[in-house]
Amino acid sequence: MSDPERIPGGPTGDVRGPSGGDNALEFRDPEKADALARRAEELVADIDADEVSIMHVCGSHEQSIAKFGLRSMLPDELDLRMGPGCPVCVTDMPEVDEAVALANAGLTIVTYGDMLHVPGTSLSLSDARDAGADVQVVYSAAEAAEIAEETDNHVVFFATGFETTAAPTAAVIRDDPPENFWVLSAHKYVPPAMEVVAAMPDTDVDGFLAAGNAATITGWGLFEELVEETDTPITVGGFEPLDILAGLVALLRDIRDREVTVRNAYPRCVTEQGNEPAQEQLWEVFTTESGEWRGIAHIPDANLILRDEYAHVDAREKFDIDTASLAASGSSLIDDCICGDIMAGREDPTDCEMFGEECTPEDPVGACMVSSEGTCKIWHEYGGRPDL
Ligand code: SF4
Ligand code: SF4
């Protein structure tokens, strides 16, 4: 990797180091943001292409981009696309069906709040709760285990999210949870999905802005291999406006210079190695297998499942999960939902005919309208336009 260019307003010195040089960021400073936007404009002009496409891989990036109107500061030729960055959105319908089936069978299901309204084939967990099932919301895996301690019923933690939430789930599993505590894992592992999306012929990505939160666990070093495999530069980015703009500037410079490398524009949180104890926990408890990411693709080695040594807490091993009755009566609207294309960077939410009509945050058809990190919901919240 060559020395990173000094990014005005962004981290200075070796942007890959933990301290980030003088690190004098005021993360929302409008003057620094303007300077970065101007730099982005110069770089895009240097690249001299009709369009430069950068994909971010995190719903929290989309939230900041929409909330702070970053697209409107950037040149028209820079196409900032969403990628498969929201754990709620990529949880597959059959996985939701499994949780609903267990809830309907009388077990206590605990999960993160956004998962409640994600439609399964015919029902969401919230529908099951309305019909009398015991479905509870938690903020952490540890809280899920605490609920099990306080009841005699079987408690199943419907565990969703990427590396960032999978590591705490692993910690709870290792820590001798109550005997009535089970895990239904829908955890996903991001890097293989980036590889698949980058290789899709109609997803034209010149650079990836990788998710800073997941990278706090895995470290930026993990992306070295991915950069080689995808032949696409990657910069790890944080979530404040200047973090994102600095990350984009770093990427644009690499695209201009045809430099295919990894950079870290989030050095105050992300190191090369990441959080090694968390990684050890994660890989001690979980292994990967191929599986569906909702609407996007069947992705090799990107679903996190419990290893055989931890089968004693695996809800899929313990219970006979019968989803057949749920599969029969799906909504035909779901067939027209284009979440998959949005997550693969091929379409925008406003390209969906149901956006803001049949599909709203109050009455979502697809997963992207449910999650606070879902692009459809974010665009709906900020007026349906990406450049507010
Ligand atoms: S607007 Fe609704 S139906 Fe359309 S893609 Fe988004 S979530 Fe799916
Ligand atoms: S809404 Fe869709 S595109 Fe946006 S982060 Fe979630 S999955 Fe990705």
Side-chain angles (χ1 to χ4, degrees):
M1 188 201 81
S2 62
D3 282 344
E5 177 183 34
R6 186 185 167 99
I7 303 168
T12 57
D14 180 359
V15 297
R16 302 178 93 182
S19 67
D22 67 16
N23 206 15
L25 282 176
E26 294 169 52
F27 302 109
R28 299 182 184 185
D29 182 313
E31 279 181 28
K32 289 181 178 173
D34 275 345
L36 285 165
R38 278 199 303 277
R39 185 72 187 116
E41 215 168 282
E42 287 164 13
L43 288 165
V44 169
D46 283 354
I47 293 168
D48 193 24
D50 290 344
E51 189 173 276
V52 183
S53 171
I54 290 180
M55 176 178 276
H56 68 72
V57 198
C58 185
S60 300
H61 279 153
E62 185 60 29
Q63 274 176 337
S64 279
I65 289 164
K67 180 173 174 186
F68 296 103
L70 300 189
R71 282 193 180 85
S72 65
M73 301 176 71
L74 294 164
D76 290 344
E77 298 80 8
L78 175 56
D79 186 21
L80 206 48
R81 308 216 55 83
M82 293 74 61
C86 167
V88 174
C89 303
V90 300
T91 304
D92 202 22
M93 272 198 281
E95 292 172 321
V96 176
D97 287 349
E98 288 180 304
V100 170
L102 289 173
N104 285 346
L107 281 68
T108 298
I109 302 296
V110 294
T111 191
Y112 298 114
D114 277 345
M115 286 311 303
L116 245 57
H117 302 285
V118 175
T121 308
S122 59
L123 296 174
S124 65
L125 279 170
S126 138
D127 296 328
R129 186 169 68 173
D130 291 347
D134 185 11
V135 179
Q136 301 184 30
V137 170
V138 289
Y139 292 97
S140 67
E143 200 185 328
E146 281 165 23
I147 289 175
E149 260 163 31
E150 290 159 11
T151 175
D152 293 332
N153 199 15
H154 290 296
V155 172
V156 176
F157 177 42
F158 185 32
T160 60
F162 301 131
E163 296 86 306
T164 339
T165 51
T169 303
V172 167
I173 291 171
R174 287 178 67 210
D175 195 21
D176 233 356
E179 285 182 1
N180 60 335
F181 175 78
W182 310 93
V183 172
L184 179 67
S185 176
H187 282 306
K188 313 264 185 225
Y189 184 53
V190 174
M194 289 169 70
E195 193 179 336
V196 166
V197 169
M200 287 178 173
D202 42 1
T203 303
D204 199 8
V205 180
D206 298 308
F208 281 114
L209 187 66
N213 47 5
T216 58
I217 303 289
T218 56
W220 61 255
L222 174 91
F223 293 116
E224 299 271 18
E225 204 179 318
L226 194 61
V227 153
E228 272 179 38
E229 277 161 9
T230 60
D231 197 27
T232 308
I234 295 176
T235 290
V236 174
F239 302 98
E240 291 289 347
L242 294 193
D243 289 325
I244 292 174
L245 291 168
L248 293 175
V249 164
L251 271 173
L252 287 168
R253 193 184 55 111
D254 283 339
I255 294 166
R256 179 198 64 184
D257 298 345
R258 298 179 193 283
E259 186 134 16
V260 181
T261 189
V262 185
R263 298 195 189 278
N264 178 16
Y266 197 29
R268 66 185 185 282
C269 294
V270 175
T271 61
E272 178 173 2
Q273 304 303 336
N275 182 337
E276 289 176 299
Q279 287 169 38
E280 274 165 33
Q281 279 177 351
L282 177 70
W283 296 119
E284 183 191 319
V285 172
F286 289 103
T287 184
T288 57
E289 73 169 13
S290 303
E292 290 297 320
W293 283 40
R294 189 176 186 130
I296 305 180
H298 189 86
I299 301 185
D301 298 326
N303 281 7
L304 291 167
I305 57 161
L306 291 168
R307 288 184 185 275
D308 291 345
E309 297 87 312
Y310 293 94
H312 57 283
V313 291
D314 191 340
R316 293 189 179 97
E317 295 290 328
K318 169 72 179 173
F319 303 106
D320 185 17
I321 306 177
D322 177 15
T323 57
S325 64
L326 299 170
S329 56
S331 154
S332 60
L333 290 180
I334 283 183
D335 296 339
D336 296 329
C337 166
I338 60 165
C339 277
D341 288 324
I342 293 169
M343 290 184 277
R346 291 188 287 257
E347 303 277 12
D348 290 333
T350 41
D351 294 325
C352 176
E353 289 185 0
M354 289 185 282
F355 179 83
E357 303 290 335
E358 291 96 332
C359 183
T360 62
E362 296 72 38
D363 196 8
V365 173
C368 286
M369 192 58 94
V370 174
S371 161
S372 53
E373 294 188 349
T375 308
C376 294
K377 181 165 179 183
I378 293 168
W379 283 36
H380 196 270
E381 192 172 328
Y382 290 97
R385 297 194 304 276
D387 57 354
L388 273 179

mmCIF file of all heavy atoms in Angstrom, residues 339-360:
data_model
loop_
_atom_site.group_PDB
_atom_site.id
_atom_site.type_symbol
_atom_site.label_atom_id
_atom_site.label_comp_id
_atom_site.label_asym_id
_atom_site.label_seq_id
_atom_site.Cartn_x
_atom_site.Cartn_y
_atom_site.Cartn_z
ATOM 1 N N CYS A 339 -36.385 -5.146 -2.825
ATOM 2 C CA CYS A 339 -35.319 -5.005 -1.816
ATOM 3 C C CYS A 339 -33.992 -5.620 -2.291
ATOM 4 O O CYS A 339 -32.926 -5.044 -2.081
ATOM 5 C CB CYS A 339 -35.711 -5.712 -0.525
ATOM 6 S SG CYS A 339 -36.758 -4.753 0.566
ATOM 7 N N GLY A 340 -34.102 -6.799 -2.907
ATOM 8 C CA GLY A 340 -32.873 -7.470 -3.330
ATOM 9 C C GLY A 340 -32.064 -6.628 -4.288
ATOM 10 O O GLY A 340 -30.837 -6.518 -4.182
ATOM 11 N N ASP A 341 -32.754 -6.007 -5.246
ATOM 12 C CA ASP A 341 -32.046 -5.154 -6.211
ATOM 13 C C ASP A 341 -31.466 -3.919 -5.529
ATOM 14 O O ASP A 341 -30.393 -3.435 -5.893
ATOM 15 C CB ASP A 341 -33.004 -4.715 -7.325
ATOM 16 C CG ASP A 341 -33.341 -5.867 -8.250
ATOM 17 O OD1 ASP A 341 -32.441 -6.694 -8.484
ATOM 18 O OD2 ASP A 341 -34.485 -5.945 -8.720
ATOM 19 N N ILE A 342 -32.195 -3.413 -4.531
ATOM 20 C CA ILE A 342 -31.681 -2.242 -3.798
ATOM 21 C C ILE A 342 -30.415 -2.632 -3.041
ATOM 22 O O ILE A 342 -29.408 -1.929 -3.076
ATOM 23 C CB ILE A 342 -32.764 -1.705 -2.834
ATOM 24 C CG1 ILE A 342 -33.933 -1.131 -3.643
ATOM 25 C CG2 ILE A 342 -32.193 -0.643 -1.908
ATOM 26 C CD1 ILE A 342 -35.162 -0.804 -2.818
ATOM 27 N N MET A 343 -30.460 -3.775 -2.404
ATOM 28 C CA MET A 343 -29.314 -4.203 -1.610
ATOM 29 C C MET A 343 -28.116 -4.578 -2.476
ATOM 30 O O MET A 343 -26.983 -4.564 -2.014
ATOM 31 C CB MET A 343 -29.712 -5.369 -0.711
ATOM 32 C CG MET A 343 -30.640 -4.921 0.402
ATOM 33 S SD MET A 343 -31.048 -6.225 1.557
ATOM 34 C CE MET A 343 -32.374 -7.052 0.720
ATOM 35 N N ALA A 344 -28.380 -4.920 -3.720
ATOM 36 C CA ALA A 344 -27.263 -5.225 -4.620
ATOM 37 C C ALA A 344 -26.818 -3.976 -5.383
ATOM 38 O O ALA A 344 -25.975 -4.051 -6.275
ATOM 39 C CB ALA A 344 -27.666 -6.324 -5.596
ATOM 40 N N GLY A 345 -27.405 -2.843 -5.054
ATOM 41 C CA GLY A 345 -26.971 -1.581 -5.661
ATOM 42 C C GLY A 345 -27.490 -1.362 -7.072
ATOM 43 O O GLY A 345 -26.978 -0.522 -7.795
ATOM 44 N N ARG A 346 -28.513 -2.126 -7.466
ATOM 45 C CA ARG A 346 -29.008 -1.992 -8.840
ATOM 46 C C ARG A 346 -30.154 -0.998 -8.965
ATOM 47 O O ARG A 346 -30.403 -0.462 -10.031
ATOM 48 C CB ARG A 346 -29.473 -3.352 -9.368
ATOM 49 C CG ARG A 346 -28.345 -4.330 -9.584
ATOM 50 C CD ARG A 346 -28.851 -5.577 -10.276
ATOM 51 N NE ARG A 346 -29.650 -6.391 -9.370
ATOM 52 C CZ ARG A 346 -29.206 -7.493 -8.785
ATOM 53 N NH1 ARG A 346 -27.989 -7.904 -9.006
ATOM 54 N NH2 ARG A 346 -29.980 -8.179 -7.974
ATOM 55 N N GLU A 347 -30.911 -0.810 -7.873
ATOM 56 C CA GLU A 347 -32.087 0.062 -7.915
ATOM 57 C C GLU A 347 -32.104 0.963 -6.683
ATOM 58 O O GLU A 347 -31.481 0.643 -5.667
ATOM 59 C CB GLU A 347 -33.382 -0.778 -7.910
ATOM 60 C CG GLU A 347 -33.501 -1.775 -9.036
ATOM 61 C CD GLU A 347 -34.025 -1.167 -10.324
ATOM 62 O OE1 GLU A 347 -34.087 0.069 -10.422
ATOM 63 O OE2 GLU A 347 -34.355 -1.947 -11.239
ATOM 64 N N ASP A 348 -32.866 2.055 -6.782
ATOM 65 C CA ASP A 348 -33.112 2.922 -5.637
ATOM 66 C C ASP A 348 -34.506 2.626 -5.094
ATOM 67 O O ASP A 348 -35.381 2.149 -5.844
ATOM 68 C CB ASP A 348 -33.060 4.397 -6.061
ATOM 69 C CG ASP A 348 -31.644 4.819 -6.405
ATOM 70 O OD1 ASP A 348 -30.693 4.211 -5.859
ATOM 71 O OD2 ASP A 348 -31.495 5.751 -7.206
ATOM 72 N N PRO A 349 -34.762 2.965 -3.826
ATOM 73 C CA PRO A 349 -36.098 2.719 -3.283
ATOM 74 C C PRO A 349 -37.203 3.355 -4.117
ATOM 75 O O PRO A 349 -38.278 2.771 -4.287
ATOM 76 C CB PRO A 349 -36.029 3.359 -1.889
ATOM 77 C CG PRO A 349 -34.599 3.216 -1.504
ATOM 78 C CD PRO A 349 -33.827 3.424 -2.776
ATOM 79 N N THR A 350 -36.941 4.548 -4.650
ATOM 80 C CA THR A 350 -37.998 5.220 -5.415
ATOM 81 C C THR A 350 -38.263 4.517 -6.752
ATOM 82 O O THR A 350 -39.221 4.843 -7.451
ATOM 83 C CB THR A 350 -37.623 6.695 -5.660
ATOM 84 O OG1 THR A 350 -36.236 6.773 -5.983
ATOM 85 C CG2 THR A 350 -37.885 7.530 -4.415
ATOM 86 N N ASP A 351 -37.431 3.558 -7.128
ATOM 87 C CA ASP A 351 -37.717 2.760 -8.318
ATOM 88 C C ASP A 351 -38.802 1.726 -8.050
ATOM 89 O O ASP A 351 -39.334 1.119 -8.985
ATOM 90 C CB ASP A 351 -36.452 2.021 -8.809
ATOM 91 C CG ASP A 351 -35.398 2.994 -9.305
ATOM 92 O OD1 ASP A 351 -35.792 4.017 -9.887
ATOM 93 O OD2 ASP A 351 -34.197 2.750 -9.087
ATOM 94 N N CYS A 352 -39.111 1.503 -6.777
ATOM 95 C CA CYS A 352 -40.144 0.518 -6.444
ATOM 96 C C CYS A 352 -41.512 1.191 -6.500
ATOM 97 O O CYS A 352 -41.738 2.212 -5.846
ATOM 98 C CB CYS A 352 -39.897 -0.050 -5.042
ATOM 99 S SG CYS A 352 -41.195 -1.179 -4.525
ATOM 100 N N GLU A 353 -42.412 0.597 -7.248
ATOM 101 C CA GLU A 353 -43.735 1.222 -7.424
ATOM 102 C C GLU A 353 -44.529 1.271 -6.124
ATOM 103 O O GLU A 353 -45.459 2.052 -5.978
ATOM 104 C CB GLU A 353 -44.527 0.461 -8.485
ATOM 105 C CG GLU A 353 -43.954 0.703 -9.867
ATOM 106 C CD GLU A 353 -44.780 0.061 -10.961
ATOM 107 O OE1 GLU A 353 -45.800 -0.564 -10.637
ATOM 108 O OE2 GLU A 353 -44.362 0.205 -12.129
ATOM 109 N N MET A 354 -44.144 0.442 -5.174
ATOM 110 C CA MET A 354 -44.909 0.415 -3.915
ATOM 111 C C MET A 354 -44.370 1.407 -2.886
ATOM 112 O O MET A 354 -44.968 1.602 -1.840
ATOM 113 C CB MET A 354 -44.885 -0.995 -3.341
ATOM 114 C CG MET A 354 -45.730 -1.960 -4.150
ATOM 115 S SD MET A 354 -45.809 -3.579 -3.372
ATOM 116 C CE MET A 354 -44.227 -4.247 -3.838
ATOM 117 N N PHE A 355 -43.231 2.037 -3.185
ATOM 118 C CA PHE A 355 -42.587 2.939 -2.232
ATOM 119 C C PHE A 355 -43.530 4.070 -1.824
ATOM 120 O O PHE A 355 -43.991 4.846 -2.667
ATOM 121 C CB PHE A 355 -41.308 3.524 -2.854
ATOM 122 C CG PHE A 355 -40.574 4.479 -1.954
ATOM 123 C CD1 PHE A 355 -39.704 4.006 -0.980
ATOM 124 C CD2 PHE A 355 -40.744 5.848 -2.080
ATOM 125 C CE1 PHE A 355 -39.019 4.878 -0.152
ATOM 126 C CE2 PHE A 355 -40.066 6.727 -1.256
ATOM 127 C CZ PHE A 355 -39.204 6.241 -0.289
ATOM 128 N N GLY A 356 -43.838 4.142 -0.541
ATOM 129 C CA GLY A 356 -44.703 5.213 -0.041
ATOM 130 C C GLY A 356 -46.166 5.022 -0.372
ATOM 131 O O GLY A 356 -47.002 5.824 0.048
ATOM 132 N N GLU A 357 -46.482 3.973 -1.108
ATOM 133 C CA GLU A 357 -47.883 3.691 -1.463
ATOM 134 C C GLU A 357 -48.328 2.454 -0.671
ATOM 135 O O GLU A 357 -48.672 2.577 0.492
ATOM 136 C CB GLU A 357 -48.014 3.458 -2.980
ATOM 137 C CG GLU A 357 -47.508 4.625 -3.831
ATOM 138 C CD GLU A 357 -48.399 5.849 -3.738
ATOM 139 O OE1 GLU A 357 -49.595 5.683 -3.438
ATOM 140 O OE2 GLU A 357 -47.911 6.970 -3.946
ATOM 141 N N GLU A 358 -48.253 1.292 -1.318
ATOM 142 C CA GLU A 358 -48.607 0.084 -0.554
ATOM 143 C C GLU A 358 -47.607 -0.181 0.566
ATOM 144 O O GLU A 358 -47.911 -0.869 1.532
ATOM 145 C CB GLU A 358 -48.635 -1.156 -1.462
ATOM 146 C CG GLU A 358 -49.766 -1.178 -2.463
ATOM 147 C CD GLU A 358 -49.285 -0.658 -3.798
ATOM 148 O OE1 GLU A 358 -48.350 0.166 -3.803
ATOM 149 O OE2 GLU A 358 -49.851 -1.073 -4.824
ATOM 150 N N CYS A 359 -46.387 0.328 0.406
ATOM 151 C CA CYS A 359 -45.332 0.015 1.370
ATOM 152 C C CYS A 359 -44.890 1.275 2.116
ATOM 153 O O CYS A 359 -44.339 2.203 1.521
ATOM 154 C CB CYS A 359 -44.140 -0.610 0.628
ATOM 155 S SG CYS A 359 -42.816 -1.115 1.723
ATOM 156 N N THR A 360 -45.142 1.295 3.416
ATOM 157 C CA THR A 360 -44.745 2.429 4.264
ATOM 158 C C THR A 360 -44.152 1.872 5.554
ATOM 159 O O THR A 360 -44.346 0.687 5.863
ATOM 160 C CB THR A 360 -45.983 3.281 4.630
ATOM 161 O OG1 THR A 360 -46.888 2.451 5.377
ATOM 162 C CG2 THR A 360 -46.679 3.847 3.408
#
